Every structure is written in C-alpha cells, then in structure tokens.
Amino acid sequence: MLSSIKKRWLQAILIGSTDQLSYHQKIRLHTLNGFAVISILFVTLFSIIFCSIGSYTSLQSLPIAGVMLGVLWLNSRHRYELAKGFMTVLLNIIIFGMAILDRRTGTEYVLLASACSAILLFDNLIHIAVSFTLALGSFGGYIWYDTVYPFVPDPTVPYEYMSGVVMLVSACAVAAQLLVYRSLINRYARELQEANSKVIVMNQELKSSYEEQQTLALQLDWIVKQKDNELQSYLDAINVHVYSAVTDNHGAILKVNDPLVSITGYQENELIGKNFSEFIEGRSSELLMRELIDTLSKGKTWRGEVKNRKKDGTFYWIDMVVIPLKNERDVTNYFLTLALPITERKEAEEQKEKIAQMLEDIAFRASHKIRGPIARIQGLTNLMDIGFIQKEELTKVLEYFKESVLEMDVATRELTTFINTHFEDEKLTSPDENANFMYKAL
C-alpha cells in the first residue's frame, strides 16, 4: 500500500520533468507539482468534512482544485512559467473572492500562505516580488473591506471551527510545500553525493590513466629521441657518402648536398636552377629521360645507372634513385634524388670488355697464324715417322719446315707487338708481364 502511494506520488511530482531541465529547475517544478497535488487533496478533504456537518459554503473552494489541475496540465505541456503565472493570478482571485463571501472564516489567511509559497515556486526575484505583493495586496484588500462594510454572520457557518480549520489547512499547505522541497533537496543531495562518488572514482581512474600516459609519453619521447639520433646519423651518412638533390616537377635543381657539388666541379649556385638532364652524357640521354619521366609520372620510384659530365668535361658514373615526394593531398611537388658513385666499377667493366675483345683477337691470331704452321710441321713429321717421305724429298721437306718456322716467327712477333700495343693503351703492367699474359693466353 505504502509503496503504491509512494509510486503515485513520484509520478505526480515528476509531471513535465525532462532531462533538458537543470537540477534547480527540476526542484522548482517538482515543488509546484507537489503543491498542486496537496492543494487538490486538502480542498477535497476540506469540502467533504464541512459538507458532512451541513456547511456547503466550503464548496466555494472547489475552483482551487480546478486551478491546480490546470497547473498540472500546463506543466505536462512544458509551459512551466505560464503554469506559475496562471496559478498565482487565479488562486489569489479565487481565494480573495472566497474571503469576501465567507468573511471571518479564516480564508483570508490562505492569502498569506500563498504569499509565502511564492518564494519556493519562482526563480526570478521580480516574479517572487510580484506574486508576494499580489497576495499581500489581496489580504490588505480583504482587511479594508471587512473594516468598512458591516459583517452579518451566516447562521449555517460554524465560525468557531471554520477559522481554526482554515488556518490549520493553510499551515499544513505551507508545511507540505516545505516538506516537498526538503524531500527534493535530500533526493538531489543523495544523487549529487552519488555523482560525487563516481567523480572521485573517475578522478582516481583518470589519475592512474594520466600516470600511465605520462610514463608512455616519457617512453615515446625517449624512442623519438633515439629515432631522431638514428635519423640524424643516417642523414649525416648521406651527406658524407651519398649524392643527394631535390628537384621540382620540371627537373630544376632546388637543393644539392656537398658531395654532389664536389663531384661535379660546379659551385652550388651554379647548379641551383639547372635542369638535371643538362648534365647527362651520351646519345641515350633522351631515351633515359623519357623513361625516367614516364616512371615518375605514375608516382613510382625510378632507378638507373647514369653517366654525367663534370664541369671540366670529364665524366663520372652514378647509380641513381629518384623518389617522388607527395603532399597531404597525394600530389607530387618535389623529387628526391639519391645516388652512389660507381665510376670505378664502370671503368673496370669497360676495361674487362676491352681485355675480352683483345683476348678474342689474340685467340684468332694464334689460331690462324701460329697453329697453321705448327699443323704443317706436325703433318710432315707424322709422314716421316711412317716412311711416306723418300730421301730425295727431304730437301723439299726441310724447306717446308723452314717456311713454317719463319711464318711462326713472323706470327709471334706480330702477336707480341699487338699485345704490347694494347697493354700500353690500357696502361697495364711491364712488358715481361705482358709476355707472361701472352703465353698464358696462348
């Protein structure tokens, strides 16, 4: 029974309550709803009691219940300020009318209770002052009317009870409002205490989280410093051992490092603004640039071996990588060029090709000009061993031997001259080493 009453009571005071209202506004709304419900109950009980003893003048208070029902309806439509104004004006008019019609029954004291209730119902001081002044003005108007116009008692009205009951009802109404206000304050105080406990727990969690974040931040800071040092080491290594340059979309040089300046023989200001293609040497430079541009236009990295020309006209080889540098919109604005020197390797490869060609020439000469006479000598020797050559033919055979030896002598001289000439052109070792190389080749 009590739980059902409590549930109905909570439903009544929560009429029109929304999450958009602040705690302060909710307290005012719940107090007004509680005051309206208590007023309806007191008016109903007051009318029943006095009607039961034969005093039907108490029915004049029923419009108060109607006003309170209107207040609850306006609150349910979220017309909170209109509900307060509606109650203040109509309630004072009705109670003032009841006080004039039933003089000296104590109804006028309800006006004083209404004046006190304004403090609990309104937020704005002006509204409180207006409501308070209206209630006191109505009470003053009643006092003036009761003083000026003679009072004629109604024999059906129990004045000895009515005045005390009305004052008691008024006091109970004010006390009920205070109790409602107090219960609401206690309720919200508990909610605030619970919220505060949650906030304390959250603060502790946040503190722990903050400490973890601080530890993580220190670790990240250390890692970032380590990576910065590593990156700086890489950059230092690049600036010392690797040629690097930055170019725009058209190939114009924007920035170069010291090793590249040193290898080209140009000053830095002579390189800035120049197009990279101007330094590429060889008939294939146009084809190479076309391939490079086609690759970079697709957003890909290009790599190749390039022969460049120095300021003094000599050449150097580099193994070059060109990387597109994109912005946050994935658009390429610049290109980073990194290169390693490979001149010694390329020269060694060229030297190897020349030596291979020279060995082919030596093998050709040895095969055709030396092995021919040797083959003839071997053939004649074999014929002599098997007895195919007669004594009268020995003179002619010796002439063949002599001719073959002379051919071999001429061939070996030419081969020696050929080897020495080519080794001198390639700036190789001494003639003795050349001869050893020749014999090994043979």
Side-chain angles (χ1 to χ4, degrees):
M1 181 68 177
L2 290 175
S3 61
S4 178
I5 294 174
K6 183 178 181 181
K7 181 179 179 181
R8 298 294 182 186
W9 168 254
L10 288 175
Q11 289 177 346
I13 66 173
L14 291 176
I15 291 175
S17 182
T18 63
D19 294 335
Q20 284 74 28
L21 296 175
S22 65
Y23 276 117
H24 188 68
Q25 291 172 328
K26 287 181 179 180
I27 289 175
R28 299 290 186 187
L29 173 63
H30 298 167
T31 301
L32 180 58
N33 289 338
F35 176 67
V37 172
I38 291 172
S39 298
I40 292 172
L41 293 176
F42 272 115
V43 166
T44 304
L45 182 62
F46 179 78
S47 299
I48 292 172
I49 291 174
F50 279 92
C51 285
S52 64
I53 61 176
S55 178
Y56 296 100
T57 56
S58 60
L59 296 176
Q60 297 172 355
S61 62
L62 289 178
I64 295 176
V67 172
M68 293 307 176
L69 288 172
V71 169
L72 293 176
W73 181 82
L74 288 172
N75 282 338
S76 69
R77 296 295 183 273
H78 310 301
R79 306 294 297 276
Y80 311 118
E81 297 301 322
L82 180 59
K84 294 175 185 178
F86 174 79
M87 184 197 73
T88 300
V89 175
L90 291 185
L91 200 60
N92 277 283
I93 292 174
I94 292 172
I95 294 173
F96 179 75
M98 290 174 58
I100 295 298
L101 294 174
D102 293 326
R103 292 162 63 184
R104 300 186 184 182
T105 58
T107 306
E108 65 274 13
Y109 295 112
V110 179
L111 294 170
L112 296 179
S114 176
C116 296
S117 299
I119 300 173
L120 300 176
L121 299 177
F122 290 98
D123 297 324
N124 193 292
L125 290 177
I126 296 177
H127 295 167
I128 293 173
V130 170
S131 179
F132 194 83
T133 303
L134 180 61
L136 289 182
S138 299
F139 182 78
Y142 166 80
I143 296 297
W144 172 82
Y145 183 85
D146 188 58
T147 303
V148 173
Y149 296 95
F151 172 66
V152 178
D154 185 349
T156 62
V157 178
Y159 291 101
E160 63 275 14
Y161 300 110
M162 183 70 77
S163 179
V165 170
V166 172
M167 291 182 65
L168 178 62
V169 170
S170 300
C172 288
V174 174
Q177 291 182 67
L178 293 174
L179 288 174
V180 170
Y181 197 76
R182 180 178 178 274
S183 66
L184 292 172
I185 290 176
N186 290 336
R187 176 188 170 188
Y188 289 119
R190 287 193 299 271
E191 292 180 357
L192 286 173
Q193 187 175 4
E194 292 175 0
N196 184 56
S197 300
K198 292 180 180 178
V199 169
I200 291 174
V201 173
M202 290 178 64
N203 283 336
Q204 292 175 348
E205 294 176 353
L206 288 173
K207 183 178 179 181
S208 301
S209 177
Y210 176 75
E211 292 175 353
E212 292 177 359
Q213 290 179 356
Q214 285 290 99
T215 303
L216 181 60
L218 292 175
Q219 294 175 348
L220 289 175
D221 185 60
W222 182 82
I223 293 173
V224 169
K225 288 182 179 178
Q226 290 294 107
K227 295 300 181 183
D228 283 344
N229 293 333
E230 292 179 10
L231 181 59
Q232 188 59 48
S233 300
Y234 294 147
L235 292 175
D236 292 341
I238 288 174
N239 285 329
V240 172
H241 302 289
V242 179
Y243 308 145
S244 69
V246 177
T247 61
D248 61 14
N249 284 327
H250 304 290
I253 299 174
L254 303 177
K255 185 178 180 181
V256 292
N257 69 345
D258 293 338
L260 185 57
V261 172
S262 177
I263 190 66
T264 60
Y266 290 94
Q267 298 296 322
E268 182 176 357
N269 59 349
E270 293 178 310
L271 293 174
I272 300 300
K274 296 286 187 180
N275 196 289
F276 229 102
S277 60
E278 297 180 23
F279 304 98
I280 298 177
E281 179 63 26
R283 290 174 294 177
S284 61
S285 60
E286 184 177 348
L287 180 62
L288 184 144
M289 289 301 300
R290 190 180 300 116
E291 176 190 347
L292 185 149
I293 293 172
D294 183 62
T295 302
L296 295 179
S297 64
K298 298 176 182 178
K300 298 179 180 179
T301 299
W302 181 89
R303 180 177 180 180
E305 296 180 352
V306 182
K307 185 179 183 181
N308 286 341
R309 184 176 60 258
K310 298 182 181 181
K311 186 176 182 179
D312 59 8
T314 58
F315 307 107
Y316 64 97
W317 282 87
I318 55 174
D319 185 357
M320 188 170 71
V321 176
V322 183
I323 305 169
L325 300 179
K326 300 181 180 180
N327 58 18
E328 64 278 2
R329 295 190 297 273
D330 201 34
V331 177
T332 301
N333 290 333
Y334 306 101
F335 296 97
L336 173 64
T337 301
L338 300 175
L340 290 172
I342 57 171
T343 302
E344 292 182 0
R345 176 170 68 81
K346 297 298 289 186
E347 290 178 348
E349 290 176 356
E350 292 177 359
Q351 187 77 2
K352 183 178 178 181
E353 291 178 0
K354 291 180 180 179
I355 291 175
Q357 182 62 43
M358 183 181 65
L359 290 176
E360 288 182 5
D361 293 339
I362 292 173
F364 176 81
R365 291 172 180 273
S367 175
H368 291 77
K369 294 188 176 183
I370 296 177
R371 300 197 65 84
I374 292 176
R376 288 198 298 272
I377 294 172
Q378 287 178 340
L380 292 172
T381 303
N382 290 333
L383 292 175
M384 292 175 65
D385 290 338
I386 60 177
F388 272 42
I389 298 177
Q390 302 300 323
K391 292 181 179 180
E392 60 273 10
E393 296 177 332
L394 288 176
T395 304
K396 192 172 183 179
V397 170
L398 290 174
E399 290 179 359
Y400 284 145
F401 273 120
K402 185 176 180 181
E403 290 177 1
S404 298
V405 170
L406 290 174
E407 287 181 13
M408 289 176 60
D409 181 61
V410 171
T412 53
R413 289 177 184 278
E414 290 179 354
L415 183 59
T416 302
T417 303
F418 173 80
I419 292 173
N420 288 333
T421 302
H422 279 73
F423 272 72
E424 288 176 1
D425 290 341
E426 302 303 329
K427 299 180 181 178
L428 293 178
T429 54
S430 63
D432 293 336
E433 291 178 342
N434 295 346
N436 291 333
F437 179 83
M438 178 190 69
Y439 290 128
K440 288 180 182 179
L442 294 173

